[in-house]
Amino acid sequence: MKAYWIAVYKDLKNIENLKGYAEKASPAIKKFGGKILVRGGKTETVEGIPSPRTVVIEFKSMKDALNCYHSAEYQKAKEIANGQFNRQIQIVEGI
């Protein structure tokens, strides 16, 4: 069963650091078979609190999604972003 990273950003303090994070995170995501389905783009909040950015990444399985998140490669990318944005990430199994 597929799984998805769903990242909802609360605020972005430094867009340049976000670019550096994305440059490091993308190879890690690809290594674990991740496919970026949504990255930013136009949004319209119809319920809840608006978010400046949402990202959705598809993986072949929950195991792949979790292994990617916990991998040394992804954690190095995450270090670039520490303190530069506030977000919530959920890893959700699909149907």
Side-chain angles (χ1 to χ4, degrees):
M1 194 174 297
K2 291 184 180 184
Y4 301 86
W5 284 14
I6 302 173
V8 178
Y9 289 73
K10 311 269 187 217
D11 61 77
L12 299 170
K13 297 175 185 169
N14 185 331
I15 198 74
E16 290 305 313
N17 277 18
L18 184 62
K19 289 177 186 176
Y21 157 79
E23 287 173 5
K24 293 281 186 186
S26 292
I29 291 165
K30 287 180 185 174
K31 176 180 176 181
F32 289 89
K35 178 181 175 185
I36 297 170
L37 302 178
V38 174
R39 182 189 285 167
K42 182 180 177 184
T43 65
E44 184 172 327
T45 301
V46 294
E47 285 189 34
I49 300 167
S51 169
R53 185 174 182 85
T54 300
V55 177
V56 178
I57 304 170
E58 179 183 79
F59 289 86
K60 292 178 184 173
S61 68
M62 181 68 91
K63 181 180 176 183
D64 289 337
L66 289 168
N67 285 343
C68 180
Y69 183 83
H70 294 293
S71 71
E73 298 94 335
Y74 181 74
Q75 292 302 309
K76 286 180 186 175
K78 193 175 155 209
E79 286 175 14
I80 293 171
N82 281 343
Q84 300 305 310
F85 50 77
N86 181 11
R87 69 179 175 184
Q88 176 179 330
I89 296 179
Q90 289 186 306
I91 300 176
V92 181
E93 200 167 54
I95 53 172

